[in-house]
Amino acid sequence: GMRAHEGSGGVQKKGCLALCNIAAGTDDDVSARRQRAAEVGAIEAIVAGMRAHEGLGGVQEEGCLALHNIVDGMDDDSDARSQRASEAGAIEAIVAGMRVHEGLGGVQEEGCLALHNIVDGMDDDSDARSQRASEAG
């Protein structure tokens, strides 16, 4: 998986795409899939892949898409997933990727969407996540 092949940009890109698809949808089970992905360490694996392959726009774009989808939702656990992403360094990884790939619209767009989903929330930690994003640049 992504952890065993952290050095392969291709594996990271395809792993992020797979996680993005798993966490996508509007069906009744999407919240459970998002939560399960978080519980098995998907957020941390995505962030590690983005850090390891900062120079690969495909990894950055797919990583942002996957993070966006996993933390998305209005279910009871969505704020906890956002906090988990923040604690894993997702905000800083997203901003770093956006800086490296200023000319890639897909990275910029998906990075903004992912950041929005991570910092947004109704929990007590959402202000701290917003501050963290501001400090990350």
Side-chain angles (χ1 to χ4, degrees):
M2 293 176 71
R3 289 190 186 119
H5 299 284
E6 193 172 296
S8 170
V11 170
Q12 297 304 308
K13 180 180 175 182
K14 289 179 182 175
C16 287
L17 179 59
L19 290 167
C20 173
N21 289 336
I22 288 167
T26 57
D27 57 281
D28 292 341
D29 298 324
V30 69
S31 294
R33 291 194 309 272
R34 289 172 176 156
Q35 188 60 27
R36 181 71 179 136
E39 289 169 356
V40 300
I43 292 169
E44 293 81 1
I46 294 164
V47 171
M50 291 176 72
R51 286 183 177 151
H53 300 283
E54 194 173 271
L56 297 178
V59 173
Q60 298 304 309
E61 185 173 352
E62 298 300 342
C64 288
L65 271 163
L67 288 168
H68 169 261
N69 282 359
I70 291 171
V71 303
D72 195 26
M74 300 296 292
D75 57 285
D76 293 340
D77 297 312
S78 64
D79 289 337
R81 291 192 302 272
S82 292
Q83 185 60 25
R84 184 173 185 150
S86 178
E87 291 170 0
I91 292 169
E92 292 81 2
I94 294 165
V95 170
M98 291 175 72
R99 284 190 175 142
V100 170
H101 301 285
E102 289 181 359
L104 292 179
V107 174
Q108 299 301 311
E109 181 178 353
E110 300 308 332
C112 288
L113 291 170
L115 285 171
H116 175 266
N117 272 9
I118 291 169
V119 302
D120 191 37
M122 301 300 293
D123 59 318
D124 293 338
D125 296 316
S126 64
D127 287 342
R129 290 193 303 273
S130 293
Q131 181 62 35
R132 189 171 183 162
S134 177
E135 290 169 2

